Each structure stands twice: as C-alpha cells, then as structure tokens.
Amino acid sequence: MVSSAVTVPQQAQTHTMWLRLVQLSLAVGIAAVVVFAAVGMLFTTISEGAFRYTADYWYTGAGVPIALAGIGLTLGVHKLQDGADGRLGTIGLWVNTLALTELCVQLLSSVVVGAELRWGPMYVVCSFLTFLGVALLAAGSWRTRLLPKWMLGVWPVLWILGTFAGTGPMSLLLVVYLALFGVTVTRRVKGRAV
C-alpha cells in the first residue's frame, strides 16, 4: 500500500519532466521549421556546392534544431507512454534517433564548411529512416491513447514532408500540426494526472 502511494507522485513527476521535454522540443521545432520555410520560400539558396548566400547557412542550419527537436519529441512521447507503445515504439525511437543524429552531424558539418556536404546517399537514407522511425513509434502508440489516431496517422507523413524532404508550404502545415500536437499532449497528460 505504501509503495503505490509513493509511485503515483513519482510517476506524475516523471510525466511532468517528459511533458516539458515534449513542449520544449515542439517550441524549438516550430521555430526552426518557420525559419526553414521562410528562408526556403523567400530567399535565394543554392542546391549544390559552396554556399554563396547567407540564406544557404540559415536554410541548412535550420535542420540542426529540427533534428534535435525531433529526437526530443520522439523520446518524450515514448517515455510518456510508460512502455505501452511496445517494441514498435522502442524500435521507432532508436531508428529515428540514429537517423536524426546523422542528419544533424551532416548539416552541422555543411554549415561549418560552408558547402553542402553529401555523404553518399546518407541524406536520403536517413530522411527515409526518420520517417520510418516516426511511423513505427506512431504505430506502437496507436493503442496508448496519448494522441488521437488521426494525429498518429499523419505524424510521419507531415514530419518528413515538412522537414528533410520538405518544400514550401508543407513546412507551414507541419508548424500548425506541431502546435496542435503540443496542445493535445499537454491536455492528455494533465488529464491523466487528475
């Protein structure tokens, strides 16, 4: 009896910590995606070789906080589910984290060097793997009720089309989705605590 009384406040405290990670990741992600979309739509950038414009640095550099926010978001969502997302959730978290780590290093290296670095097909492969990782996490989350099923269904698609494979207005659609995601997760986690 005593151990369950101690466990509930500890679990609520842990959920609060993971919810804060999700909220911080969403805030960073939204800001970075807005920069990514604005620079991509409004300024001249080049697609290959040495950077010639300041916008090239901003456009490429925006991918670094997007990748870090993606890692924080999936880790927070996975932890908020207390293992109920099963193996799919765990595998999805790891696949996404590894892919985003590689993308983060590649983009950061490009910014430091001042040129678009291509490490063979790694950008395309890791972009696909981040989609796959989010899709696996979303599939594992299907039964947990942390997010509505429609949000889980569109999460992987909007994630990839609004970020690493994104162009123009898809990124802005992702911003709206991420804001809604944050409101929904916050309400559901706080609703559980009551």
Side-chain angles (χ1 to χ4, degrees):
M1 197 84 143
V2 173
S3 66
S4 66
V6 172
T7 305
V8 172
Q10 287 175 343
Q11 186 178 29
Q13 199 172 34
T14 302
H15 282 179
T16 300
M17 180 186 73
W18 292 118
L19 178 59
R20 285 185 184 143
L21 176 64
V22 168
Q23 293 167 333
L24 175 64
S25 298
L26 288 167
V28 169
I30 288 170
V33 171
V34 167
V35 169
F36 174 76
V39 171
M41 290 188 298
L42 302 176
F43 298 98
T44 302
T45 61
I46 58 173
S47 60
E48 296 181 20
F51 292 167
R52 295 189 315 195
Y53 307 104
T54 303
D56 295 322
Y57 291 93
W58 281 94
Y59 190 70
T60 304
V64 174
I66 290 171
L68 295 174
I71 292 169
L73 178 61
T74 54
L75 176 62
V77 167
H78 175 70
K79 292 295 188 175
L80 283 171
Q81 298 177 104
D82 298 318
D85 55 359
R87 286 186 183 165
L88 285 177
T90 303
I91 292 168
L93 170 67
W94 279 103
V95 167
N96 184 60
T97 299
L98 292 172
L100 287 175
T101 300
E102 191 284 332
L103 288 169
C104 184
V105 169
Q106 186 173 354
L107 293 168
L108 189 58
S109 298
S110 293
V111 170
V112 169
V113 171
E116 183 180 352
L117 298 178
R118 294 193 180 199
W119 299 342
M122 290 307 293
Y123 186 88
V124 174
V125 168
C126 287
S127 293
F128 172 73
L129 288 175
T130 188
F131 165 79
L132 180 63
V134 171
L136 290 170
L137 176 61
S141 302
W142 198 260
R143 65 180 174 258
T144 67
R145 297 185 183 166
L146 180 63
L147 290 164
K149 291 182 179 180
W150 73 267
M151 286 188 95
L152 294 170
V154 299
W155 185 11
V157 175
L158 282 179
W159 174 251
I160 194 63
L161 292 179
T163 59
F164 300 104
T167 56
M170 284 305 292
S171 296
L172 298 177
L173 187 57
L174 177 62
V175 167
V176 172
Y177 173 81
L178 291 176
L180 185 58
F181 189 107
V183 170
T184 304
V185 168
T186 301
R187 284 184 180 164
R188 292 205 173 182
V189 169
K190 289 184 177 181
R192 283 182 187 172
V194 173

